[in-house]
Amino acid sequence: MKLLAESTCKTIINASFESIDLTEWLFTLKDSEYQICSKDHIAAGNSINENGKRMSINVEQIAGNLLIQHYVEDVSQKDHCRVQSISDSIAAAGKTKLHIVWELKIEKKDSSSCELSNHVIVNATDDFLNLLNHLNIKNLDSISNEKLPNLIQHNEEETPLFAKDIERKALKGIWS
């Protein structure tokens, strides 16, 4: 797979490291909670795939590109959650697939705070490369240069709002 865009955004959560469970947060995130974390978020839900792995299914529209993400759990720890998706991508240029990795980590700062890292990687799939070829687009760098600012802007919007939701739940003792 070829990298199209990658972004990491960090922010502080004012709750103890021990009170947070990122994996449980992700797989219990309600639709309304997801929607308030970005103007681009349309819907979210949870499921289990045919292999018994938990899934987070998210729908968002970024820069006119409708994404339906089928995130499957990959790393499931309290302080580290990584999910991967072969996501449907629907835009004016056509319908295709993207490989997206979403990784959340927390690092303890002191007894009452930690830092959340929200890392997103967007990779081209063969389906995406075939669409570009069909459209006679040969320069993958131009596509990457277009996607990167949109990803960064989106990540910078949602990360502090994700942190606030995690903080609220941690302070309520949701995962205790």
Side-chain angles (χ1 to χ4, degrees):
M1 287 190 224
K2 296 187 180 187
L3 178 68
L4 293 175
E6 182 172 10
S7 171
T8 300
C9 188
K10 296 180 178 187
T11 193
I12 297 297
I13 298 174
N14 292 306
S16 70
F17 179 87
E18 297 77 18
S19 68
I20 297 171
D21 189 325
L22 291 177
T23 297
E24 288 306 308
W25 172 79
L26 178 65
F27 289 111
T28 60
L29 188 63
K30 294 180 177 75
D31 181 48
S32 60
E33 295 166 338
Y34 177 76
Q35 288 180 34
I36 64 172
C37 289
S38 172
K39 63 180 175 32
D40 298 327
H41 291 176
I42 298 169
N46 295 290
S47 186
I48 296 178
N49 74 4
E50 59 279 352
N51 297 321
K53 293 280 193 176
R54 290 181 286 185
M55 295 178 64
S56 176
I57 301 169
N58 303 334
V59 180
E60 58 189 356
Q61 187 163 4
I62 301 173
N65 185 27
L66 182 66
L67 295 167
I68 299 113
Q69 300 152 334
H70 314 269
Y71 288 115
V72 177
E73 96 183 279
D74 183 26
V75 175
S76 302
Q77 301 166 359
K78 287 182 71 165
D79 64 339
H80 182 196
C81 178
R82 183 176 60 225
V83 290
Q84 298 193 45
S85 173
I86 300 299
S87 300
D88 297 295
S89 174
I90 304 166
K95 182 179 180 225
T96 188
K97 304 269 186 193
L98 294 169
H99 174 252
I100 303 175
V101 179
W102 180 20
E103 185 170 35
L104 299 163
K105 292 182 180 180
I106 55 170
E107 179 181 312
K108 185 175 184 173
K109 289 297 179 189
D110 58 37
S111 63
S112 62
S113 69
C114 49
E115 184 177 62
L116 172 68
S117 172
N118 183 10
H119 184 206
V120 180
I121 303 168
V122 181
N123 295 302
T125 62
D126 288 343
D127 193 59
F128 182 79
L129 296 173
N130 288 338
L131 176 64
L132 293 183
N133 189 45
H134 175 74
L135 297 170
N136 203 30
I137 298 172
K138 304 295 181 203
N139 187 352
L140 193 59
D141 288 341
S142 67
I143 300 297
S144 294
N145 291 337
E146 180 183 311
K147 289 196 175 303
L148 183 58
N150 296 324
L151 177 60
I152 291 170
Q153 180 181 12
H154 181 73
N155 202 2
E156 288 177 347
E157 177 191 18
E158 73 182 0
T159 301
L161 297 171
F162 284 158
K164 286 294 177 198
D165 190 63
I166 294 165
E167 178 180 298
R168 181 181 59 78
K169 291 173 180 174
L171 293 175
K172 281 186 172 180
I174 300 284
W175 304 296
S176 299

